[in-house]
């Protein structure tokens, strides 16, 4: 590659960085130069670097802030630490013979005929000449630079979010598991939601309720696990299936059905709209069109990240399946948009080429589940406890499952009614598994390391296992997934196998769970029409906006297409991803920072005592690299004294069996007032 072409490639990289990083970064040449250097140093594209900045910003509360010079040092440290972590999790090949650098010129070093390890550099005979393409030279320069960085002593970085760089697990002199064994933050409560309510983890637990604003009648007691505590909601029983046999036409019909369902929902939500129109038709008058948002190819390359210049609306076959470019008005309200999102757009298409959008319409959030007050008088007086943990359950430098053993110890101490364990259990991304450094088959490892460890807690705790697309021992790597299959031997009583994702009831509570990192995937692909969200969208909290997306789209994975690295979604079974109602608890594990947030369901966006709310819970991961992670302890309480009695008393004034009386007795479950969640470090 000539000097001219290299300069053009660098200029193209600079242009792309200015575009994806936004105006705040583009205003500083030093920021763009340093970002370009990071891209070259770590073999990243501009979009890859933006994804890392996006993750860094979300984890550090900088969603509304751009990449500025004062944040550059901390961000550089984050990228270096991410690279070290990824390098540690990748099996290393056999070391190549070190090139003789002392007396050789650069050209002779690159063209040496000594054998080289497998990869982009091919070993040749003594009489041949080694040829290197641009990619191999770039990779060699990257490896040489990284070797120099690794050999130098890492110094602590300054800044509010910085930390000293730790060597990868493969380069650490500590024995496996050393960092976890000698941790100092064991049992630390990282986050507590509704801390005024009693916790099942504290001394006294649910017995210390006398001074609290909850029902403290003598009948109040800790709920005991029974076989019918967990019950699947309709359309959640995912059966084993043969994937990769679906025809393209069948998938197209499934997508059409998906859009037709949304069209009927929008007709109910927008009663003033008589008809939806094909947006590709030229029209001088405002029209309404329904479809899903997709990203246009840029420079011949497919994209799954929306941007102002690549926004398309894809319609159903009844509208000829057209894709129309959208141009949004500058005066449009705040909208957070992502690929696959079904919306109604309002605007004009004067020439039949582009739709100028003046307004975007979204579905209202679904109604929350309700129960009869008279039924809750007897069933909702006990307190219940649950622990939620998400894999991986072992450290990256061992396969001894130390975090799982610690979790079992805590469960034996606090005796929750339910333990909700979400995969991956046998993670196909684990460095030792990828390197083949194991002495058990995946099925045997699951049974000995997971199931047998859970047996001691089954006398007092019901265990629910939910798979992950990264579970090596599970035959179904698509999404959605059927439950784990017990083929070799029956599982011990007390273990319940559920599909992924799943919606089930736990006493009166409705819970929705997915093991896929859907929040992170949506944040990687979304685009907001304004930098700052209004108050009704809870300001800059993008994770909360992501949770609203799931509820609005009535799906536990509405993103399509999924970004690189995400599980493949089987469109033929998209109906099993559909949310049947707004759940009381929405459990969405993520690599992002643990969180517990109330998601308002009303148009006013309130979270008052009588407002319908879904409680979003991200428990974090049970293991993070060589260190322990977090789990969530859920303590659910009854209604305040007299609340249900007052509702029943008012309903008794109406005719028995009438629809009015049934509506009068219906009460929200009020998860944001009755549930305490503690995120605790293992």
């Amino acid at each position: 590659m000539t000097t001219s072409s290299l300069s053009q490639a660098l200029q193209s990289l600079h242009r792309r960085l200015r575009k994806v990083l936004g105006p705040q970064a583009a205003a500083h040449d030093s920021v763009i130069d340093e970002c370009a250097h990071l891209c070259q140093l770590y073999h990243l594209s501009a979009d890859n670097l933006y994804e890392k900045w996006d993750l860094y910003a979300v984890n550090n509360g900088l969603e509304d802030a751009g990449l500025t010079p004062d944040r550059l040092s901390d961000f550089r440290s984050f990228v270096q630490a991410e690279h070290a972590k990824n390098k540690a999790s990748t099996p290393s090949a056999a070391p190549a013979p070190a090139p003789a650098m002392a007396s050789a010129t650069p050209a002779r070093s690159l063209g040496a005929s000594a054998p080289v390890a497998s990869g982009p550099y091919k070993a040749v005979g003594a009489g041949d000449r080694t040829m290197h393409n641009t990619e191999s030279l770039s990779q060699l320069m990257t490896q040489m630079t990284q070797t120099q960085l690794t050999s130098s002593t890492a110094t602590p970085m300054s800044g509010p979010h910085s930390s000293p760089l730790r060597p990868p697990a493969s380069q650490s002199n500590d024995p496996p598991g050393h960092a976890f064994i000698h941790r100092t933050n064991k049992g630390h409560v990282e986050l507590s939601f509704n801390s005024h309510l009693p916790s099942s983890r504290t001394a006294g637990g649910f017995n210390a309720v006398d001074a609290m604003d909850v029902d403290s009648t003598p009948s109040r007691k800790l709920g005991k696990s029974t076989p019918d505590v967990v019950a699947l909601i309709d359309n959640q029983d995912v059966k084993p299936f043969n994937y990769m046999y679906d025809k393209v036409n069948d998938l197209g019909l499934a997508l059409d059905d998906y859009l037709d369902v949304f069209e009927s929902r929008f007709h109910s939500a927008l009663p003033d709209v008589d008809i939806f129109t094909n947006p590709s038709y030229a029209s001088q008058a405002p029209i309404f069109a329904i479809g899903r948002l997709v990203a246009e190819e840029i420079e011949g390359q497919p994209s799954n990240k929306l941007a102002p210049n690549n926004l398309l609306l894809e319609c159903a076959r009844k509208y000829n399946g057209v894709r129309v470019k959208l141009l949004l008005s500058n005066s449009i309200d705040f909208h957070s948009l992502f690929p696959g999102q079904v919306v109604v757009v309002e605007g004009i298409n004067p020439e039949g080429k582009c739709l100028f959008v003046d307004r975007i319409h979204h579905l209202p959030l679904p109604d929350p589940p309700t129960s009869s007050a008279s039924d809750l008088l007897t069933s909702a007086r006990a307190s219940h406890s649950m622990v939620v943990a998400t894999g991986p359950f072992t450290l990256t430098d061992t396969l001894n499952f130390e975090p799982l053993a610690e979790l079992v110890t805590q469960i034996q101490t606090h005796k929750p009614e339910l333990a909700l364990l979400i995969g991956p259990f046998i993670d196909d991304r684990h460095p030792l598994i990828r390197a083949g450094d194991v002495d058990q088959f995946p099925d045997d490892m699951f049974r000995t390391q997971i199931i047998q460890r859970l047996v001691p807690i089954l006398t007092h705790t019901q265990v629910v296992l939910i798979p992950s697309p990264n579970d090596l021992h599970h035959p179904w790597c698509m999404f959605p997934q059927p439950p784990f299959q017990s083929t070799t031997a029956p599982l011990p009583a007390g273990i319940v196998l559920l599909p992924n994702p799943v919606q089930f009831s736990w006493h009166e509570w409705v819970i929705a769970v997915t093991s896929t990192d859907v929040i992170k995937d949506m944040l990687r692909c979304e685009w907001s029409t304004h930098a700052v969200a209004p108050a009704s969208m809870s300001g800059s909290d993008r994770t909360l906006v992501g949770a609203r997306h799931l509820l609005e789209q009535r799906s536990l994975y509405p993103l399509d297409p999924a970004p690189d690295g995400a599980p493949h979604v089987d469109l033929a079974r998209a109906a099993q991803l559909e949310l049947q109602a707004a759940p009381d608890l929405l459990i969405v594990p993520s690599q992002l920072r643990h969180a517990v947030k109330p998601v308002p369901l009303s148009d006013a966006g309130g979270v008052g005592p009588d407002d319908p709310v879904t409680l979003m819970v991200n428990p974090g991961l049970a293991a993070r690299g060589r260190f322990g992670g977090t789990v969530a302890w859920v303590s659910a309480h009854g209604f305040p004294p007299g609340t249900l009695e007052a509702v029943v008393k008012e309903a008794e004034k109406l005719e028995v069996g009438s629809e009015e009386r049934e509506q009068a007795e219906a009460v929200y479950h009020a998860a944001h007032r009755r549930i305490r969640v503690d995120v605790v470090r293992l």
Side-chain angles (χ1 to χ4, degrees):
M1 181 177 289
T2 64
T3 304
S4 173
S5 59
L6 284 172
S7 177
Q8 292 177 359
L10 187 60
Q11 292 175 4
S12 176
L13 176 61
H14 276 241
R15 286 196 300 269
R16 185 61 182 168
L17 284 170
R18 293 179 187 276
K19 186 173 184 179
V20 298
L21 291 176
Q24 288 183 287
H28 302 280
D29 291 339
S30 61
V31 173
I32 298 301
D33 291 341
E34 179 62 23
C35 288
H37 175 67
L38 290 174
C39 289
Q40 293 174 316
L41 183 62
Y42 295 112
H43 250 335
L44 301 172
S45 67
D47 293 280
N48 294 146
L49 188 71
Y50 171 77
E51 290 177 2
K52 292 184 180 296
W53 162 251
D54 199 35
L55 179 61
Y56 173 82
V58 170
N59 282 336
N60 291 282
L62 302 174
E63 295 94 329
D64 290 342
L67 180 54
T68 53
D70 59 312
R71 301 186 180 99
L72 193 56
S73 177
D74 290 342
F75 177 58
R76 184 194 305 113
S77 302
F78 173 79
V79 174
Q80 291 173 340
E82 283 285 301
H83 173 76
K85 182 174 67 175
N86 294 336
K87 186 177 179 182
S89 64
T90 303
S92 56
M101 299 293 293
S103 60
T105 64
R108 291 184 61 190
S109 298
L110 294 177
S113 59
V116 184
S118 60
Y121 322 110
K122 186 180 295 184
V124 296
D128 297 330
R129 181 179 179 182
T130 305
M131 302 297 294
H132 299 273
N133 57 26
T134 304
E135 180 181 2
S136 65
L137 291 176
S138 175
Q139 291 183 7
L140 180 58
M141 292 175 63
T142 300
Q143 292 172 2
M144 293 168 60
T145 307
Q146 291 166 0
T147 302
Q148 295 172 2
L149 289 174
T150 305
S151 62
S152 62
T153 303
T155 58
M157 301 293 178
S158 61
H161 305 292
S162 60
S163 61
L165 294 179
R166 297 185 178 94
S170 59
Q171 300 178 5
S172 174
N173 294 325
D174 295 333
H178 179 272
F180 181 78
I181 295 172
H182 295 278
R183 66 197 185 281
T184 59
N185 56 355
K186 173 184 174 181
H188 180 259
V189 179
E190 303 286 336
L191 171 66
S192 185
F193 179 81
N194 277 343
S195 57
H196 64 283
L197 294 176
S199 170
S200 59
R201 297 182 64 255
T202 57
F206 287 134
N207 296 323
V209 299
D210 297 334
M212 301 295 174
D213 184 23
V214 291
D215 187 358
S216 57
T217 58
S219 61
R220 186 178 185 80
K221 58 184 179 180
L222 177 66
K224 294 183 178 180
S225 179
T226 57
D228 58 350
V229 163
V230 175
L232 281 178
I233 294 177
D234 294 341
N235 198 34
Q236 294 298 296
D237 191 12
V238 181
K239 301 293 185 182
F241 57 89
N242 293 326
Y243 52 87
M244 298 176 63
Y245 285 89
D246 297 311
K247 299 179 180 179
V248 174
N249 187 58
D250 294 338
L251 297 178
L253 291 175
L255 181 58
D256 255 10
D257 293 340
Y258 182 73
L259 292 175
D260 288 342
V261 170
F262 270 87
E263 184 169 342
S264 63
R265 290 171 177 165
F266 270 109
H267 272 303
S268 301
L270 303 173
D272 296 335
V273 179
D274 296 329
I275 189 172
F276 294 116
T277 307
N278 187 328
S280 65
Y281 294 161
S283 174
Q284 304 296 326
I287 63 168
F288 292 86
I290 182 173
R292 65 181 193 132
L293 301 175
V294 295
E296 183 182 20
E297 292 185 356
I298 299 179
E299 299 179 355
Q301 297 296 322
S303 174
N304 55 14
K305 181 173 179 58
L306 296 183
N309 63 333
N310 72 345
L311 195 59
L312 302 178
L313 184 73
E314 181 182 78
C315 301
R317 292 186 182 183
K318 65 171 67 176
Y319 305 110
N320 299 329
V322 296
R323 284 189 172 188
V324 178
K325 188 172 182 63
L326 303 180
L327 286 182
L328 305 186
S329 169
N330 292 330
S331 61
I332 203 167
D333 295 334
F334 172 85
H335 292 280
S336 175
L337 309 175
F338 63 89
Q341 184 178 15
V342 181
V343 297
V344 167
V345 295
E346 180 180 351
I348 61 173
N349 190 348
E351 298 180 353
K353 298 179 180 179
C354 181
L355 186 65
F356 293 85
V357 179
D358 296 318
R359 191 174 180 185
I360 301 177
H361 298 272
H362 298 272
L363 278 178
L365 299 188
D367 295 328
T370 59
S371 298
S372 170
S374 57
D375 293 339
L376 293 177
L377 275 174
T378 56
S379 62
R381 304 184 76 84
S383 295
H384 308 284
S385 60
M386 170 174 63
V387 61
V388 183
T390 304
F393 291 95
T394 189
L395 311 174
T396 54
D397 56 354
T398 76
L399 283 171
N400 296 328
F401 292 84
E402 294 93 337
L404 179 61
E406 173 62 27
L407 175 60
V408 169
T409 300
Q410 292 189 16
I411 291 176
Q412 289 177 312
T413 301
H414 302 298
K415 295 181 173 56
E417 176 184 335
L418 186 68
L420 181 60
L421 306 185
I422 306 167
F425 296 93
I426 310 301
D427 193 351
D428 61 3
R429 299 164 297 182
H430 193 282
L432 297 180
I433 292 179
R434 294 181 64 185
D437 190 10
V438 293
D439 54 6
Q440 283 184 302
F441 288 110
D443 287 338
D444 297 332
M445 188 182 300
F446 178 69
R447 183 164 292 278
T448 58
Q449 297 288 356
I450 305 297
I451 299 300
Q452 290 184 8
R453 290 179 186 269
L454 299 176
V455 170
I457 66 175
L458 296 179
T459 57
H460 50 74
T461 299
Q462 188 175 38
V463 176
V464 172
L465 302 182
I466 296 177
S468 162
N470 294 110
D471 269 310
L472 184 61
H473 65 292
H474 196 35
W476 288 271
C477 57
M478 305 279 286
F479 189 73
Q481 293 177 284
F484 289 128
Q485 305 297 304
S486 178
T487 56
T488 56
L491 291 176
I495 294 182
V496 179
L497 305 178
L498 295 184
N500 173 40
V502 67
Q503 299 161 69
F504 62 90
S505 62
W506 177 52
H507 302 288
E508 74 267 25
W509 307 102
V510 175
I511 301 176
V513 187
T514 176
S515 68
T516 304
D517 199 343
V518 59
I519 299 294
K520 179 184 174 183
D521 289 347
M522 282 199 296
L523 294 184
R524 290 169 59 189
C525 302
E526 73 155 357
W527 169 68
S528 298
T529 55
H530 291 275
V532 181
S536 61
M537 298 289 282
S538 297
S540 63
D541 198 336
R542 295 174 63 202
T543 58
L544 190 60
V545 175
R548 287 179 61 91
H549 283 322
L550 301 184
L551 299 176
E552 174 209 318
Q553 296 291 298
R554 276 77 165 167
S555 173
L556 287 168
Y557 203 92
L559 192 62
D560 184 32
D564 294 340
H568 181 75
V569 179
D570 190 347
L571 293 178
R573 292 162 183 83
Q576 291 163 343
L577 305 178
E578 182 181 350
L579 280 170
Q580 305 300 313
D584 297 306
L585 280 177
L586 177 63
I587 300 177
V588 281
S590 175
Q591 293 182 2
L592 301 176
R593 185 174 177 82
H594 49 260
V596 181
K597 299 182 182 297
V599 184
L601 300 178
S602 61
D603 294 335
V607 290
D610 298 322
D611 290 323
V613 169
T614 287
L615 196 59
M616 183 203 75
V617 178
N618 170 19
L621 308 182
R624 287 186 177 271
R626 297 184 296 122
F627 303 91
T630 55
V631 299
W633 289 81
V634 178
S635 306
H637 298 276
F639 282 90
T643 301
L644 298 176
E645 291 83 354
V647 173
V648 173
K649 185 175 181 180
E650 286 297 319
E652 288 176 348
K653 300 176 182 179
L654 303 174
E655 182 181 352
V656 177
S658 64
E659 184 177 349
E660 292 79 7
R661 178 163 180 170
E662 182 178 344
Q663 293 177 351
E665 281 202 11
V667 294
Y668 297 130
H669 297 158
H672 63 300
R673 292 192 297 121
R674 299 171 52 203
I675 290 181
R676 170 173 174 162
V677 182
D678 296 300
V679 179
V680 182
R681 182 73 57 178
L682 285 177

